[in-house]
Structures are given as structure tokens and as C-alpha cells.
Amino acid sequence: MTATKAGRREWTGLAVLALTSLLVSIDVFVMLLALPHLAADLGASSTQQLWITDIYGFVLAGFLVTMGTLGDRIGRRRLLLIGAAAFGLASIAAAYSTSPGMLIAARALLGLAGATLAPSTLALISNMFTDARQRGLAIGVWLACFMGGAALGPVAGGALLEHFWWGSAFLLGVPAMVLLLILGPVLLPEYRAPSAARTDLVSVALSLAAVLPLVYGLKEIAKHGWQPVAVASLALGLAMGILFARRQSHLAHPLLDLRLFANRAFSTALAGMMAATLLMGALMLFLTQHLQLVENLSPLAAGLWMLPAVAANGISFLLSPLLARRIRPAYLIGYGLAVSVTGLLVITQVDTVSGPVTLVAGWMLINLGAGPLVTLSTDLIMGSVPAEKAGSAAALNETSGELGFALGIAILGSLGTAVYRATLPLPASLGQSAQTASRDTLATALTTAQQIGGETGAALARAAREAFTTGMNLVALVAAVALAAMAILIARLLRHIPSPEPTPEPTAAHTSDVKASTTT
């Protein structure tokens, strides 16, 4: 595809896509706050609550690759609009659910619809912005809105749940879907691969059989440790993944073209994104628990304390493409990760009496430094594949993030839990059941301490908070060392990538030719 400068229509279309991503991201994360309210109203059991929470991520991760490739074949705008309509209807069904089963089914449909949104959106951005400099900035805008919504979710959720019923948490994304359905056909271009073939249903089944057990196994390890069921699930997912890869290598029109990984820029950027999500994303679990359970802040107050990091993240996303015009991407990513490593080292100094300022300062530095990696790696992934493979590349980008986060929770979460249990001193006067509950998690230890009361309860709560903080400190240190090594490796592997050059202004005749060739 010939690179051309994007005009007003493309930037207006980006605004619609970015606003949609912002509201959908808020909508998804608000649900975490709504869970206690809807559980009480619907009478959901603990198992049903887990499914209400997890089913969205399971279905989303399972269908990302399929939907990315499907968009390449039937049209990315068409798939995006179908997904938007489905997401809006499923959101309404979730908001007015009358039973836990109905809500679980609605959340599953939301995950299926959500799997169409991110790959289609990112692929459309790569089609709309063929100029490398403009594409990088457009991706930065989209990422800033998406990540901003994730952090604003708890704040918006707290405000909503104070004035409305729990179902309102699911309705935030509906206006965005309506806006997308109205303006999408006008502002967004259609694109489909010129040699589209029928989707191989066996490959679809194998991809689901690979991704779903992997995600399930990683989540189970994070919750219950290396139990036989979790290990068996991981083994099943890996076996199905091998079968999936073997089938793709023999198909003339594979669901996932494995030849994409032969491109060093593509594979390095994808691996870097997954590793960074593993190392930095999992730390957010410790951050939120520390603010609420150690600093004793409400969910709304904890969300407000996270806003400075959101601002740093957004600034970094927007500035990174501009800085990359003067600094090679490899070096800019390396410099950014050095800032993130500094933030992780700051978190190693957090204790139970330092207050939230030190923790939030470290988290700000982590988010500020992550901007170049996330923005430029996404741009490298999308810019290093042919136009007809953009949907597949976008799907892989999203899938790597899902798997990286799940893997990070499993590995670093397990490390933090092991340190917590190893360093938690328990009073000898505690009964066996109280000791077991206290060693489980910080939350159960604090509940046990509250039930015991008195000086023994206060000592247990203090010891549990200190043990949790020690675990968080060690996790941050491990992440800092691994991230520093990753920064050096990325800088070496991507140092051949130059800064993007400006696209020459096209002549009138050339512009007419390009418009004619892209009209659908």
C-alpha cells in the first residue's frame, strides 16, 4: 500500500475509534466494583461470581486470533460494526440480567464481541494511516484512550454505584457502540484481503483448544498454586498449540500465517510486549491490594491515587511517536524501560508506614517509561506486515497481552504469595483454622484478625501487611532485573530499525490514483 498523508476524515474516524475504546475500557473495568452489588442482588454463589468475572477474558482471549483473521477476509469495518452491535446488545442484556446464569451468558457474548473490536480497530488504524509518522501518533492516541479507560474504570464505577443500580456499570459502552454504528460507515474505510479464502473451522477449534486451557491453567495457578488440574490444563493447551501450529504450516490459507514470525522486527516487538505485560502488568495486582488492604483506602480513593500514573501513561503514549522521529525506536524503548526499572526499584523501598506516595511515585515512573515500548512496538508490529495481514497482526498483539498478563499473575503472583507465606509470623495462640486462613491471602488474614480482635488481632494484621509488602518488594526487584535485561536485548535486536521518514506530499494525479485504488 502506497503511503499517503491522512486527512481530516481519517483523524475524525480515529476520534470515534478512540472514544469507543475509552468507554468500552471503562465499562469492562467498572464491573470489578459492581461485583459485590450484583452478587447480593442476584444471589450469585462464589463459583458463579468467579465465572461472571472470568468468562469475559476467557472468551476474548480464545477468539482474538479467529476474529483478527476473519476481519481480514470479510472486511474489517464490517466485522467492527457487527461486533459493536453485538457488544451493545450484550451490554443491555447484562445490565438487566435476572439471574447469575443470564449474566454469565451475557458476559460470554461480551467477550465474543470484544474479540472483534480491538483487532479490527487496530487494523483499520493501520489502513487509515499509511504514513509511518502519522500511524505511530494515531496508535499512541488510541492506546492512551484505551489504557486511560482501564484506570478511570474504578473512579467512574464508584461514582455510578453511589447513585444508580449495579446494571448501570454495563451501560457505559452502549452510547459508544451507537455512535460507532452511526459514524463508522461514513468515516471508516473498508478493507478486506484481496485473496480471501474460507475460514478453516478445524483451525478455529484448535486455536480455542490451545488458548482457553492455557489461560484457565494460568489463572488457576495464580489462585490455587501448581495444582494437578492447572498443570494438566497447561499441558493440554500447549499440546493443542503444537497441533495448531503444525496445521497452519501445511495450509495454503492458514488461520494464522506463521511466516509473520520470520520478520525480526515483528517477532521482537511481539515478544517484548508480552514480556513487559508479564513483568509490569502483574505488579498492578499488588499495587491495588496494597492501596486498599495495607493503606486501608476505599476502592474509589485507590482509583484516585492511580490517576497520576494514568496521566504519565497518556503523556508517554502521545510523546513517544514524536520522539521516535529523532531517536531510533530501539534506543527510545531502551531509555523508557530504564525509567520503568527505576520505578520498580522505588517500589522495592515501599513499607507499611511510608504511605501511598512512594508507591504511586514508583508506579508513575513505570507507566511513564512503558510508553515507548507499548506504542512503538505496536507500530512496529502493524507496520512490518502486509496490509492483508493487519488483522492477524493486531490479533496477535492483543493475544500476547492477554497471555502475558495471565502468565505474569501466575509467576509473579505465585512468587509474591510464596514470600508472604514464608515471612508471615503467626501467634502461637492462633487455632489451626485461623492459621490456615491467615496464610491464604492478605485479605483473609485481615478478616481473621478482625474476628479475633484485641492485641492478638492487631499483631496478626500488622504482620500480614508487612509480609505482603515484603512479597511485593521482591516481585518488584525480580521484575526490575528482568526488565533491565529485556531492555538491553530489545535495543540490540531492533537497532537496525531507523526513525520513520516523512512521507512526501503527493501530487494531485497521484492522490486520484490512490483514492481510486482504495475505493470499495
Side-chain angles (χ1 to χ4, degrees), residues 281-425:
L283 195 65
M284 187 173 179
L285 178 67
F286 291 91
L287 176 86
T288 54
Q289 289 188 77
H290 194 279
L291 288 175
Q292 294 182 65
L293 301 180
V294 178
E295 301 296 342
N296 204 27
L297 298 175
S298 68
L300 179 58
L304 291 172
W305 270 101
M306 292 171 68
L307 289 181
V310 177
N313 205 214
I315 292 171
S316 185
F317 282 151
L318 296 176
L319 286 181
S320 295
L322 302 178
L323 292 174
R325 298 176 183 181
R326 297 181 176 274
I327 305 171
R328 281 179 177 258
Y331 302 140
L332 185 57
I333 290 172
Y335 299 150
L337 291 180
V339 175
S340 293
V341 168
T342 303
L344 288 166
L345 294 177
V346 169
I347 290 179
T348 65
Q349 303 305 305
V350 172
D351 55 37
T352 57
V353 296
S354 59
V357 174
T358 304
L359 183 66
V360 171
W363 189 239
M364 278 183 64
L365 290 173
I366 291 170
N367 281 269
L368 183 66
L373 173 69
V374 177
T375 307
L376 302 183
S377 291
T378 302
D379 186 36
L380 285 172
I381 290 169
M382 300 309 299
S384 59
V385 300
E388 61 271 16
K389 300 293 183 182
S392 297
L396 283 172
N397 182 64
E398 297 298 318
T399 304
S400 70
E402 291 288 330
L403 291 177
F405 187 76
L407 192 60
I409 295 295
I411 296 175
L412 296 182
S414 297
L415 174 62
T417 300
V419 173
Y420 167 78
R421 292 170 179 169
T423 58
L424 176 62

Side-chain angles (χ1 to χ4, degrees), residues 7-285:
R8 182 179 302 174
R9 176 184 174 184
E10 286 79 12
W11 288 107
T12 307
L14 175 66
V16 174
L17 293 174
L19 177 62
T20 301
S21 297
L22 174 69
L23 294 180
V24 168
S25 185
I26 290 176
D27 186 46
V28 169
F29 284 87
V30 160
M31 206 286 300
L32 297 176
L33 286 181
L35 185 62
H37 301 270
L38 64 88
D41 191 33
L42 299 178
S45 66
S46 58
T47 301
Q48 289 171 327
Q49 290 181 52
L50 285 175
W51 277 109
I52 289 170
T53 304
D54 291 342
I55 192 65
Y56 177 88
F58 284 153
V59 177
L60 177 74
F63 279 96
L64 276 171
V65 171
T66 299
M67 292 303 177
T69 305
L70 185 62
D72 290 337
R73 294 177 178 177
I74 72 169
R76 292 160 189 164
R77 185 181 67 187
R78 176 187 296 180
L79 184 63
L80 179 66
L81 296 180
I82 292 172
F87 195 94
L89 293 174
S91 295
I92 294 172
Y96 293 98
S97 293
T98 56
S99 68
M102 181 179 175
L103 182 55
I104 290 170
R107 289 275 293 166
L109 289 175
L110 280 170
L112 182 62
T116 70
L117 297 179
S120 298
T121 298
L122 196 50
L124 281 171
I125 289 174
S126 71
N127 294 142
M128 294 159 61
F129 298 90
T130 56
D131 174 74
R133 290 189 168 191
Q134 289 187 326
R135 184 181 62 240
L137 183 58
I139 288 174
V141 170
W142 176 70
L143 284 170
C145 290
F146 183 80
M147 299 302 292
L152 290 173
V155 179
L160 274 176
L161 295 173
E162 282 186 10
H163 300 93
F164 303 100
W165 97 113
W166 59 263
S168 62
F170 293 100
L171 297 178
L172 272 173
V174 175
M177 297 302 106
V178 173
L179 180 68
L180 183 57
L181 289 170
I182 294 172
L183 297 181
V186 179
L187 295 173
L188 303 178
E190 182 58 288
Y191 182 91
R192 64 177 61 87
S195 57
R198 293 184 62 182
T199 301
D200 180 46
L201 297 181
V202 176
S203 294
V204 173
L206 286 173
S207 71
L208 291 174
V211 174
L212 293 181
L214 281 174
V215 175
Y216 176 78
L218 291 172
K219 284 180 175 287
E220 286 298 299
I221 289 171
K223 293 174 184 175
H224 307 297
W226 293 84
Q227 299 298 319
V229 173
V231 174
S233 181
L234 286 180
L236 176 62
L238 290 173
M240 291 298 104
I242 293 171
L243 290 177
F244 174 77
R246 291 184 63 181
R247 183 172 180 82
Q248 303 316 294
S249 64
H250 291 92
L251 290 176
H253 299 283
L255 182 69
L256 177 62
D257 191 350
L258 299 181
R259 291 173 298 180
L260 294 176
F261 293 96
N263 185 305
R264 190 169 76 178
F266 176 89
S267 55
T268 301
L270 194 66
M273 286 279 286
M274 183 174 178
T277 306
L278 187 159
L279 295 172
M280 293 186 288
L283 195 65
M284 187 173 179
L285 178 67

Side-chain angles (χ1 to χ4, degrees), residues 401-480:
E402 291 288 330
L403 291 177
F405 187 76
L407 192 60
I409 295 295
I411 296 175
L412 296 182
S414 297
L415 174 62
T417 300
V419 173
Y420 167 78
R421 292 170 179 169
T423 58
L424 176 62
L426 293 174
S429 59
L430 281 183
Q432 185 60 43
S433 60
Q435 289 187 25
T436 302
S438 298
R439 285 196 179 96
D440 188 24
T441 64
L442 174 59
T444 56
L446 294 179
T447 300
T448 302
Q450 188 175 21
Q451 292 170 349
I452 294 172
E455 182 57 34
T456 302
L460 174 60
R462 185 165 53 252
R465 289 186 172 108
E466 289 175 354
F468 176 85
T469 304
T470 300
M472 183 182 71
N473 295 153
L474 183 59
V475 166
L477 179 61
V478 170

